[in-house]
Amino acid sequence: LGMGGLNATEIMKMMPTVTRLATVGALEMGEAADIVTNILAGYQLGIEDLGWATDVLSSAMTGANVDLRDLGEAFKHAGPVAQGAGMEFETTAAAIALLGNAGIQGSIAGTSLKSAISRLLSPSKSAERTLRKLKVETKDTTGKMRAFDDIIEDLGKSGASTANILSIFGLRAGPSMARLVNMGSDAFREYT
């Protein structure tokens, strides 16, 4: 916690939160603190968000097939891109957790999610054609990425095939996105 920028008073104040996370994650306190502060830094969250972020991560761990190490690895790859795209922290955690339920965990989940978000922000010409054909918009009128769950919903409603999803997201992110689309936006929103 000290390496994460906290002073002694702040560390003492955060100890119960880190202890709770370490207990839920079945990890040593030092490792739990390291993982959560790395996630916060990658998502550009302040230490004042530690309690809330810990609750979100604890919920993800206890409600899905991921552990804190999986979340840390996934956020390491996807967190900065998701945050930059305007995705809510809870949405990113839910996507990682649901990918974990599909057997896509850790750095593979994070890399897949990072690649998918990148392709939504800057689709290739082939992806743009496929998205137009499916009538799926990835950006709002201001040019920002639409809500991730809305995009998943639109892909599901459009009847996008696996080939369509691979065309949009590529071989790295396509299989993961196909899993999220198959799970459906209702399941995604409920989990979030």
Side-chain angles (χ1 to χ4, degrees), residues 47-184:
I47 203 64
E48 66 276 2
D49 298 312
L50 180 66
W52 161 75
T54 296
D55 289 344
V56 172
L57 297 171
S58 295
S59 178
M61 285 187 291
T62 58
N65 186 22
V66 292
D67 61 25
L68 188 56
R69 287 184 187 109
D70 291 332
L71 290 168
E73 280 297 308
F75 267 99
K76 176 172 59 176
H77 296 282
V81 174
Q83 186 276 331
M87 281 179 64
E88 297 291 331
F89 185 77
E90 296 95 332
T91 302
T92 305
I96 292 167
L98 289 173
L99 287 172
N101 285 347
I104 303 166
Q105 300 167 328
S107 62
I108 295 171
T111 302
S112 295
L113 189 57
K114 173 182 71 175
S115 182
I117 296 165
S118 297
R119 286 181 172 253
L120 291 172
L121 292 171
S122 182
S124 67
K125 291 189 187 311
S126 170
E128 283 180 345
R129 281 192 300 273
T130 304
L131 288 164
R132 260 194 314 275
K133 178 179 140 190
L134 296 171
K135 297 181 173 70
V136 174
E137 295 291 330
T138 62
K139 296 180 182 170
D140 63 18
T141 56
T142 67
K144 293 183 180 176
M145 190 176 93
R146 292 177 57 226
F148 194 67
D149 54 332
D150 289 342
I151 295 169
I152 290 172
E153 179 178 19
D154 290 350
L155 285 167
K157 286 181 177 178
S158 74
S161 67
T162 301
N164 294 142
I165 293 173
L166 288 172
S167 170
I168 297 165
F169 296 104
L171 293 176
R172 182 169 297 221
S176 296
M177 288 303 295
R179 296 272 177 99
L180 289 177
V181 170
N182 287 339
M183 286 179 200

Side-chain angles (χ1 to χ4, degrees), residues 28-56:
E28 293 180 3
M29 281 184 49
E31 186 176 6
D34 184 44
I35 292 169
V36 74
T37 54
N38 288 344
I39 290 171
L40 290 175
Y43 225 86
Q44 294 185 3
L45 297 172
I47 203 64
E48 66 276 2
D49 298 312
L50 180 66
W52 161 75
T54 296
D55 289 344
V56 172

